[in-house]
mmCIF file of all heavy atoms in Angstrom:
data_model
loop_
_atom_site.group_PDB
_atom_site.id
_atom_site.type_symbol
_atom_site.label_atom_id
_atom_site.label_comp_id
_atom_site.label_asym_id
_atom_site.label_seq_id
_atom_site.Cartn_x
_atom_site.Cartn_y
_atom_site.Cartn_z
ATOM 1 N N ASP A 736 -7.428 -1.301 -11.511
ATOM 2 C CA ASP A 736 -8.414 -1.929 -10.649
ATOM 3 C C ASP A 736 -9.064 -0.919 -9.769
ATOM 4 O O ASP A 736 -8.553 0.137 -9.448
ATOM 5 C CB ASP A 736 -7.968 -3.079 -9.773
ATOM 6 C CG ASP A 736 -7.388 -4.278 -10.595
ATOM 7 O OD1 ASP A 736 -7.774 -4.418 -11.743
ATOM 8 O OD2 ASP A 736 -6.548 -4.989 -9.933
ATOM 9 N N LEU A 743 -11.467 0.499 8.958
ATOM 10 C CA LEU A 743 -10.413 0.250 9.939
ATOM 11 C C LEU A 743 -10.622 1.256 11.025
ATOM 12 O O LEU A 743 -11.334 2.309 10.894
ATOM 13 C CB LEU A 743 -9.088 0.405 9.282
ATOM 14 C CG LEU A 743 -8.652 -0.705 8.270
ATOM 15 C CD1 LEU A 743 -7.441 -0.299 7.615
ATOM 16 C CD2 LEU A 743 -8.511 -2.060 8.954
ATOM 17 N N GLU A 759 -18.517 10.863 -6.005
ATOM 18 C CA GLU A 759 -19.109 12.133 -6.133
ATOM 19 C C GLU A 759 -19.602 12.592 -4.782
ATOM 20 O O GLU A 759 -19.504 13.829 -4.429
ATOM 21 C CB GLU A 759 -20.241 12.137 -7.176
ATOM 22 C CG GLU A 759 -19.855 11.755 -8.569
ATOM 23 C CD GLU A 759 -18.952 12.911 -9.222
ATOM 24 O OE1 GLU A 759 -19.140 14.059 -8.916
ATOM 25 O OE2 GLU A 759 -18.047 12.447 -9.929
ATOM 26 N N LYS A 789 7.663 12.732 3.584
ATOM 27 C CA LYS A 789 7.940 13.842 2.699
ATOM 28 C C LYS A 789 6.810 14.037 1.733
ATOM 29 O O LYS A 789 6.402 15.230 1.481
ATOM 30 C CB LYS A 789 9.242 13.543 1.953
ATOM 31 C CG LYS A 789 10.532 13.563 2.796
ATOM 32 C CD LYS A 789 11.747 13.193 1.940
ATOM 33 C CE LYS A 789 12.907 12.907 2.855
ATOM 34 N NZ LYS A 789 14.053 12.285 2.062
ATOM 35 N N ILE A 820 8.740 5.772 14.901
ATOM 36 C CA ILE A 820 9.001 6.370 13.592
ATOM 37 C C ILE A 820 8.672 7.883 13.518
ATOM 38 O O ILE A 820 9.160 8.537 12.596
ATOM 39 C CB ILE A 820 8.338 5.567 12.448
ATOM 40 C CG1 ILE A 820 6.853 5.639 12.666
ATOM 41 C CG2 ILE A 820 8.810 4.176 12.310
ATOM 42 C CD1 ILE A 820 6.022 5.041 11.479
ATOM 43 N N ASP A 829 -4.876 -2.892 11.097
ATOM 44 C CA ASP A 829 -5.420 -4.080 10.415
ATOM 45 C C ASP A 829 -4.907 -5.345 11.170
ATOM 46 O O ASP A 829 -4.165 -6.167 10.658
ATOM 47 C CB ASP A 829 -5.018 -4.036 8.967
ATOM 48 C CG ASP A 829 -5.648 -5.153 8.216
ATOM 49 O OD1 ASP A 829 -6.716 -5.619 8.536
ATOM 50 O OD2 ASP A 829 -5.177 -5.382 7.064
ATOM 51 N N HIS A 835 -5.553 -6.278 4.428
ATOM 52 C CA HIS A 835 -4.484 -6.726 3.739
ATOM 53 C C HIS A 835 -4.889 -7.872 2.782
ATOM 54 O O HIS A 835 -4.399 -8.013 1.615
ATOM 55 C CB HIS A 835 -3.363 -7.179 4.730
ATOM 56 C CG HIS A 835 -2.051 -7.499 4.088
ATOM 57 N ND1 HIS A 835 -1.346 -8.567 4.371
ATOM 58 C CD2 HIS A 835 -1.351 -6.736 3.223
ATOM 59 C CE1 HIS A 835 -0.169 -8.554 3.705
ATOM 60 N NE2 HIS A 835 -0.191 -7.421 3.028
ATOM 61 N N LEU A 848 -1.611 3.949 -4.599
ATOM 62 C CA LEU A 848 -2.223 5.258 -4.734
ATOM 63 C C LEU A 848 -3.537 5.079 -5.530
ATOM 64 O O LEU A 848 -3.498 4.413 -6.601
ATOM 65 C CB LEU A 848 -1.211 6.159 -5.583
ATOM 66 C CG LEU A 848 -1.708 7.552 -5.870
ATOM 67 C CD1 LEU A 848 -1.948 8.365 -4.622
ATOM 68 C CD2 LEU A 848 -0.832 8.272 -6.938
ATOM 69 N N ASP A 868 14.536 5.937 -5.242
ATOM 70 C CA ASP A 868 14.382 7.158 -6.051
ATOM 71 C C ASP A 868 13.476 6.859 -7.218
ATOM 72 O O ASP A 868 12.688 7.658 -7.542
ATOM 73 C CB ASP A 868 15.762 7.670 -6.572
ATOM 74 C CG ASP A 868 16.586 8.296 -5.575
ATOM 75 O OD1 ASP A 868 16.051 8.667 -4.461
ATOM 76 O OD2 ASP A 868 17.849 8.419 -5.726
ATOM 77 N N THR A 886 -1.140 21.605 -14.087
ATOM 78 C CA THR A 886 -2.099 22.475 -14.784
ATOM 79 C C THR A 886 -2.514 23.662 -13.963
ATOM 80 O O THR A 886 -3.380 24.458 -14.358
ATOM 81 C CB THR A 886 -3.323 21.739 -15.191
ATOM 82 O OG1 THR A 886 -4.113 21.320 -13.992
ATOM 83 C CG2 THR A 886 -3.012 20.623 -16.037
ATOM 84 N N LYS A 892 -10.957 17.772 -5.893
ATOM 85 C CA LYS A 892 -12.040 17.721 -6.956
ATOM 86 C C LYS A 892 -13.336 17.192 -6.399
ATOM 87 O O LYS A 892 -13.386 16.316 -5.590
ATOM 88 C CB LYS A 892 -11.643 16.846 -8.128
ATOM 89 C CG LYS A 892 -10.417 17.428 -8.864
ATOM 90 C CD LYS A 892 -9.886 16.518 -9.850
ATOM 91 C CE LYS A 892 -8.541 17.007 -10.399
ATOM 92 N NZ LYS A 892 -7.883 16.090 -11.259
#
Side-chain angles (χ1 to χ4, degrees):
D736 292 343
L743 293 170
E759 296 294 325
K789 291 175 193 172
I820 59 173
D829 188 20
H835 193 226
L848 176 66
D868 289 342
T886 62
K892 298 172 186 171

